[in-house]
Amino acid sequence: MRALTKLTAGPGLELVDRPEPQCGPRDVKVRVLRAGLCGTDLHLAGWDDWAAATVVPPLVIGHEFYGEVVEAGPAVVGVKVGDRVSGEGHVVCGRCRNCRAGRRHLCIRTKGVGVNRDGAFADYVVVPATNAWVQPADLDPDLGAVFDPLGNATHTALQWPLIGEDVVITGAGPIGVMAAAIARHAGARYVVVSDASDYRLALAEKAGADLTVNVTRETLGDAQRHLGLKEGFDIGLEMSGAAPAVTDMIENMNHGGRIALLGLPHASYELDWGKVITHMITLKGIYGREMYDTWYAMSQMVATSERLRSAVTQVITHRFPAEQWADAFETARSGQCGKVVMDWS
Ligand code: NAD
Ligand code: ZN
């Protein structure tokens, strides 16, 4: 089969011919139809310090995928050959304290598809059947391929009730834009999104943001004045991983404001802890998706809201056949894009 592979330690990827993965008794084998590109894949391709410390080549990369089940192990229940599925990219141990309590997103032994085991930028991928989320047969395959990042957005945005709240989102990457759509759907009053890219802020506007802030020209304080907010934002969703974004967010929260942080910083940084403490601001880190309550919530929201469905689908700005994977990576690296999806069918 075709597989986009990290063959040796160092920068670069190769589209090579590899044996098809074997399906274990509790696994499903999925014929990949679409796969989404994520920042993780760029780190793996570029081979930064994180990639060098994490990956053991040879490795097929890719973890955002949608496809058709072509084989199910004898012990599998609930997923069958012919089902269309999206993949949950975190494979958990099932036996640690959190797993046994049903908090699988907090598993201490999480392994990443396409990071710690062979991934989905290939004709076939094998995952535990529990990692396959069965989708309606008529779901748009492109939309099916972005359920993993949509799950990040949903998990982060729905940490607290949003009805009537003023929400600020820092970072208009694909996940920040999808979070804006979810916040709108979930009943926020104002949704404000910041980024340094006008291209990306335009996507956030289409997704339902009331106001966008280009941080190269304005601040979140300007946005507050523009909207007439007197006390600050109620809810912050940090989707950039950029220290200045977090600083500006904390500066502009109401007392008692709550911030969910998904963006991963490249290095540790300083914060105005005095403000966090005296304003009683809650900071909560977010990882992955709740397995599988986040999946349930996003499936039902997408199934019942045409507006949300199209807001999420418009985040996919570029599509490439798998053979043009190098162009797909180049586009994702450029930042002049929303989500980039590869067609493996
Ligand atoms: P992305 O890199 O495409 O988007 C990040 C955006 O932040 C970019 O558009 C960038 O221009 C913007 N940005 C940079 N500095 C900014 C600033 N000062 N203010 C406002 N915006 C700024 O990433 P993505 O795919 O949308 O993912 C969002 C973040 O979530 C990334 O940091 C990613 O690493 C992280 N992530 C975390 C998890 C998790 O489980 N915690 C999972 C997936 C992704
Ligand atoms: Zn576990």
Side-chain angles (χ1 to χ4, degrees):
M1 67 167 188
R2 299 172 301 168
L4 193 53
T5 309
K6 173 69 71 182
L7 280 179
T8 52
L13 294 168
E14 284 177 61
L15 187 63
V16 295
D17 192 31
R18 295 250 303 192
E20 290 179 18
Q22 297 296 310
C23 184
R26 291 181 175 74
D27 296 336
V28 290
K29 180 174 172 181
V30 177
R31 168 80 182 95
V32 179
L33 298 173
R34 300 284 190 282
L37 245 105
C38 145
T40 303
D41 305 312
L42 302 181
H43 290 299
L44 292 173
W47 202 249
D48 59 11
D49 291 345
W50 169 80
T54 309
V55 166
V56 184
L59 177 84
V60 180
I61 74 161
H63 59 275
E64 298 177 1
F65 69 96
Y66 170 86
E68 183 171 331
V69 175
V70 292
E71 188 181 340
V76 170
V77 284
V79 189
K80 59 184 191 309
V81 170
D83 281 347
R84 293 289 183 100
V85 298
S86 295
E88 161 57 58
H90 287 174
V91 177
V92 299
C93 78
R95 56 182 208 281
C96 72
R97 174 182 177 174
N98 285 316
C99 277
R100 290 171 65 121
R103 299 184 292 261
R104 284 174 278 212
H105 56 297
L106 297 176
C107 173
I108 59 167
R109 299 188 189 92
T110 302
K111 299 267 183 258
V113 174
V115 177
N116 310 108
R117 52 183 282 157
D118 279 337
F121 290 168
D123 287 320
Y124 298 95
V125 62
V126 163
V127 289
T130 47
N131 282 63
W133 183 258
V134 179
Q135 297 281 22
D138 60 352
L139 186 81
D140 172 5
D142 288 345
L143 185 55
V146 301
F147 260 60
D148 174 301
L150 178 60
N152 293 129
T154 304
H155 188 188
T156 313
L158 299 187
Q159 283 303 308
W160 299 290
L162 294 180
I163 294 172
E165 305 287 14
D166 295 329
V167 178
V168 58
I169 300 172
T170 44
I175 300 179
V177 173
M178 291 193 271
I182 305 267
R184 178 87 289 141
H185 179 83
R189 179 171 67 155
Y190 292 128
V191 179
V192 174
V193 182
S194 72
D195 202 288
S197 154
D198 286 327
Y199 179 98
R200 292 190 148 189
L201 291 172
L203 293 177
E205 258 170 45
K206 278 196 220 137
D210 298 289
L211 187 67
T212 58
V213 175
N214 187 314
V215 294
T216 64
R217 301 192 292 265
E218 336 153 77
T219 65
L220 295 182
D222 298 331
Q224 278 200 60
R225 282 183 286 282
H226 193 82
L227 292 172
L229 303 189
K230 302 244 170 0
E231 304 190 354
F233 293 100
D234 306 299
I235 303 282
L237 309 175
E238 207 305 292
M239 305 287 193
S240 75
V246 184
T247 305
D248 196 24
M249 185 181 264
I250 288 173
E251 194 64 38
N252 285 282
M253 299 302 291
N254 197 353
H255 292 214
R258 287 165 289 181
I259 300 178
L261 301 108
L262 183 90
L264 285 163
H266 300 294
S268 54
Y269 56 86
E270 287 189 8
L271 280 187
D272 184 349
W273 287 105
K275 191 152 276 178
V276 172
I277 292 160
T278 59
H279 292 191
M280 289 190 67
I281 291 170
T282 301
L283 300 177
K284 184 171 183 185
I286 306 293
Y287 187 57
R289 298 142 296 277
E290 280 192 29
M291 296 167 231
Y292 282 81
D293 228 30
T294 302
W295 287 83
Y296 182 84
M298 65 174 150
S299 280
Q300 308 319 334
M301 288 191 294
V302 161
T304 53
S305 169
E306 165 59 30
R307 182 181 182 186
L308 180 62
R309 212 160 43 237
S310 62
V312 171
T313 307
Q314 61 98 28
V315 179
I316 305 165
T317 55
H318 293 77
R319 298 163 173 84
F320 292 92
E323 302 296 331
Q324 288 174 27
W325 65 271
D327 295 332
F329 273 69
E330 198 43 51
T331 302
R333 233 176 263 119
S334 76
Q336 287 293 101
C337 59
K339 180 56 81 179
V340 177
V341 167
M342 288 189 284
D343 185 344
W344 285 84
S345 62

